[in-house]
């Protein structure tokens, strides 16, 4: 009788060894660019009190209403797996007094959890690399953040596939006034609204701007525009931001319907979207959130940030084919007990002397044919071979597994490290 296997949860996946080189390459590129711009890494908890997300992301948002993994902890407090990184980052900065130490440029990376309907590019455990800036009022730092992300896409070879969309949400009061006018207008056309938008009309009307429903989009074209409700300061802010972007040649589009699904934003909101028409086409998003630090109990602190979806960026990169480097440098083959014992010694010597190389020593015996087959399958660049002859003559044989034009060589064991070093 066979025992039933246990599957992973829907939308929650392992990242397999073959995928890892691409993940590491992306993380390294992003990390290096963040370093260039003076950001320091912070590592944040995966689990927080649910109240933190309610108070920051907003009670009436999809994330808080339906997507959080929340449960009662043993002490009867509701806790949640983090659906995003900003709230936890603000909490940590307040708790550890970082905001009193001058402006902060921070970044983090890791898994986030949202119980959404899984589909290509949308998972229940997904990964973000995010960055947050505290203590700097805009718009220079906003523009610098957009320039930094633009630099990233260019470095990754994705510049031709992404578009920056920006919008200004103005201040809380401006948005409030706009919201009243929008509700007033949409209420007169309530029957043309789809079910989702009708629900949002009373709960979170600005999210209707995001609707993909064709009839709603027709209505919105005639609706009051948020831009008309911005005061002189908000308009000036956006205008100055645009001057920077133009100066630095960061291409962008103003999207008056861009509102974002999290409640903490003011002034700038932005999304990097791909040209693809697929639903999950936002690869990176963020904006300014000047009110959030006080909302979470800290001193008034201007702030902004973004997060990119690692899986979505990797999907684009794999479409643009990234070269996977061969992960393994050498596979060590030995036939006979004496060869194996001497081989393991030499292998450890190489690990001491050439720490950047990666090696596998053959386990499990077998003749040369069988071991060479394993070496080939491993993807290694070299086979390092010891048999009876090599042991007797204190030599070792090196064979390229990737390039047939490179002749096989037998060299003294004492020269092995020097020889292999020249290959790196
Ligand atoms: P967000 O737009 O909710 O913003 O998420 C940022 C990015 O994470 C999205 O653009 C997308 O690429 C990726 N993402 C979100 N949900 C999923 C999912 N279910 N599966 C795969 N990828 C996903 C935030 O999270 C804000 N904290 C960003 C921010 C930082 N704003 C200011 N600072």
């Amino acid at each position: 009788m066979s025992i039933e296997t246990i599957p992973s949860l829907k939308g929650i996946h392992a990242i397999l060894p073959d995928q890892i080189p691409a993940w590491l390459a992306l993380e390294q590129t992003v990390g290096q660019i963040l370093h260039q711009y003076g950001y320091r890494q912070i590592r944040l908890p995966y689990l927080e009190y649910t109240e933190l997300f309610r108070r920051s992301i907003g009670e009436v948002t999809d994330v808080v209403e339906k997507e959080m993994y929340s449960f009662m902890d043993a002490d009867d407090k509701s806790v949640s797996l983090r659906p995003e990184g900003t709230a936890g980052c603000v909490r940590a900065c307040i708790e550890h007094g970082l905001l009193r130490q001058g402006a902060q440029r921070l970044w983090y990376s890791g898994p986030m959890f949202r119980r959404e309907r899984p589909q290509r590019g949308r998972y229940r455990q997904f990964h973000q690399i995010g960055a947050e800036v505290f203590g700097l009022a805009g718009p220079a730092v906003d523009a610098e953040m957009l320039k930094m992300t633009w630099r990233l896409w260019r470095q990754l070879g994705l510049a031709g596939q992404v578009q920056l969309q920006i919008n200004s949400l103005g201040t809380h009061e401006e948005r409030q006034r706009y919201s009243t006018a929008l509700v007033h207008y949409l209420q007169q056309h309530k029957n043309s609204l789809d079910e989702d938008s009708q629900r949002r009309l009373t709960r979170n009307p600005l999210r209707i701007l995001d609707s993909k429903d064709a009839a709603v989009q027709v209505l919105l074209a005639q609706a009051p525009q948020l831009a008309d409700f911005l005061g002189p300061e908000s308009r000036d802010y956006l205008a100055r931001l645009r001057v920077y972007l133009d100066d630095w040649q960061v291409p962008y589009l103003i999207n008056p319907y861009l509102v974002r699904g999290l409640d903490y934003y003011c002034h700038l909101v932005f999304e990097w979207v791909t040209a693809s028409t697929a639903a999950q086409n936002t690869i990176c998003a963020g904006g300014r959130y000047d009110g959030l630090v006080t909302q979470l109990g800290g001193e008034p602190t201007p702030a902004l940030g973004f997060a990119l979806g690692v899986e979505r960026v990797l999907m684009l990169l794999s479409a643009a084919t990234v070269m996977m480097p061969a992960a393994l440098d050498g596979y060590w083959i030995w036939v006979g007990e004496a060869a194996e014992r001497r081989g393991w010694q030499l292998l450890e010597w190489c690990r001491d002397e050439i720490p950047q190389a990666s090696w596998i020593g053959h386990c499990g015996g077998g003749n040369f044919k069988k071991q060479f087959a394993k070496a080939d399958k491993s993807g290694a660049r070299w086979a390092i071979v010891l048999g009876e002859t090599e042991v007797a003559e204190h030599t070792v044989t090196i064979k390229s597994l990737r390039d047939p034009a490179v002749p096989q060589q037998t060299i003294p064991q004492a020269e092995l490290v020097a020889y292999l070093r020249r290959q790196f």
Side-chain angles (χ1 to χ4, degrees):
M1 195 186 77
S2 65
I3 298 177
E4 241 182 75
T5 56
I6 302 169
S8 61
L9 276 72
K10 229 169 131 194
I12 295 189
H13 305 289
I15 300 148
L16 300 177
D18 279 351
Q19 301 169 287
I20 294 293
W23 279 70
L24 291 177
L26 177 62
E27 283 161 4
Q28 200 189 2
T29 306
V30 182
Q32 193 244 330
I33 289 180
L34 286 160
H35 173 74
Q36 278 187 301
Y37 283 76
Y39 286 73
R40 298 184 305 148
Q41 193 182 12
I42 183 165
R43 298 194 180 191
L44 301 162
Y46 293 10
L47 202 59
E48 299 270 6
Y49 287 120
T50 304
E51 175 61 13
L52 174 70
F53 302 117
R54 283 222 187 98
R55 227 201 278 171
S56 51
I57 296 170
E59 293 276 0
V60 193
T61 53
D62 285 352
V63 173
V64 167
E65 273 186 324
K66 350 183 234 212
E67 296 169 0
M68 285 212 293
Y69 285 92
S70 303
F71 60 92
M72 294 308 276
D73 206 353
D75 55 6
D76 256 5
K77 296 243 168 70
S78 176
V79 294
S80 299
L81 284 172
R82 62 182 188 187
E84 57 106 56
T86 309
C89 191
V90 172
R91 199 247 333 114
C93 285
I94 297 172
E95 191 166 323
H96 299 284
L98 293 184
L99 303 179
R100 289 197 297 270
Q101 299 168 19
Q104 299 287 330
R105 290 177 168 85
L106 303 171
W107 72 273
Y108 50 84
S109 92
M112 307 292 162
F113 305 85
R114 295 183 195 178
R115 205 172 188 291
E116 298 190 76
R117 201 164 47 77
Q119 60 184 78
R120 194 173 145 74
R122 188 162 76 194
Y123 310 100
R124 291 181 170 179
Q125 176 180 320
F126 60 98
H127 295 75
Q128 287 185 344
I129 302 179
E132 316 289 350
V133 175
F134 298 99
L136 296 172
V141 64
D142 310 45
E144 192 196 36
M145 183 172 276
L146 295 172
K147 172 74 185 181
M148 178 172 77
T149 43
W150 175 231
R151 181 185 292 278
L152 173 65
W153 313 132
R154 290 209 329 211
Q155 199 147 318
L156 293 172
L158 297 177
Q161 299 182 57
V162 294
Q163 183 193 56
L164 172 61
Q165 300 191 354
I166 66 172
N167 192 20
S168 173
L169 298 183
T171 63
H172 181 71
E173 293 71 31
E174 288 160 357
R175 218 160 43 251
Q176 234 14 71
R177 263 187 281 127
Y178 171 64
S179 184
T180 310
L182 182 67
V183 171
H184 180 73
Y185 166 82
L186 289 175
Q187 226 133 29
Q188 295 162 22
H189 305 273
K190 203 169 171 186
N191 293 340
S192 313
L193 293 177
D194 63 320
E195 210 179 299
D196 230 14
S197 300
Q198 292 207 5
R199 202 176 57 83
R200 286 175 167 160
L201 196 55
T202 44
R203 310 209 65 197
N204 196 349
L206 284 193
R207 289 293 286 160
I208 298 175
L209 296 183
D210 226 14
S211 172
K212 304 283 178 283
D213 185 89
V216 176
Q217 287 182 348
V218 170
L219 272 185
L220 287 175
Q222 308 298 321
Q225 295 280 314
L226 177 53
D228 296 329
F229 286 73
L230 299 185
E233 274 180 37
S234 295
R235 282 167 200 250
D236 179 58
Y237 181 94
L238 185 62
R240 285 189 296 143
L241 173 70
R242 295 181 67 174
V243 171
Y244 282 113
L245 294 179
D246 293 340
D247 267 1
W248 301 343
Q249 291 172 357
V250 181
Y252 63 91
L253 185 94
I254 300 255
N255 174 357
Y257 300 116
L258 183 64
V259 284
R260 311 267 305 121
L262 315 165
D263 274 357
Y264 46 62
Y265 296 109
C266 62
H267 296 294
L268 172 71
V269 285
F270 67 91
E271 291 192 350
W272 284 96
V273 298
T274 63
S276 112
T277 48
Q280 312 309 321
N281 65 348
T282 305
I283 58 166
C284 172
R288 188 163 268 283
Y289 52 91
D290 290 343
L292 183 58
V293 177
T294 27
Q295 227 168 293
L296 291 177
E299 299 294 315
T301 309
L304 74 159
F306 72 90
L308 63 81
V310 175
E311 285 85 352
R312 293 191 191 172
V313 174
L314 286 172
M315 260 162 52
L316 268 194
L317 281 173
S318 69
T321 64
V322 200
M323 275 294 292
M324 299 283 172
L328 197 64
D329 292 303
Y331 192 99
W332 293 58
I333 287 172
W334 31 57
V335 176
E337 198 186 322
E340 176 170 355
R341 286 180 62 188
R342 182 68 187 132
W344 282 118
Q345 280 177 343
L346 290 173
L347 171 50
E348 283 303 307
W349 178 45
C350 287
R351 286 190 171 125
D352 285 340
E353 299 297 326
I354 318 171
Q356 73 274 28
S358 81
W359 313 105
I360 282 182
H362 180 76
C363 295
N367 58 22
F368 278 120
K369 190 164 172 233
K370 177 184 156 191
Q371 294 195 33
F372 264 111
K374 288 245 159 110
D376 259 335
K377 216 172 145 203
S378 75
R381 289 162 64 202
W382 307 95
I384 292 121
V385 189
L386 282 106
E388 267 174 36
T389 322
E390 280 86 0
V391 172
E393 295 174 356
H394 302 287
T395 56
V396 55
T397 298
I398 297 159
K399 185 177 185 314
S400 168
L401 296 172
R402 301 283 147 243
D403 187 353
V406 176
Q408 174 174 313
Q409 297 233 34
T410 298
I411 59 168
Q413 289 174 9
E415 289 171 20
L416 180 61
V417 161
Y419 179 91
L420 289 173
R421 264 207 196 113
R422 289 198 293 277
Q423 314 306 321
F424 290 92

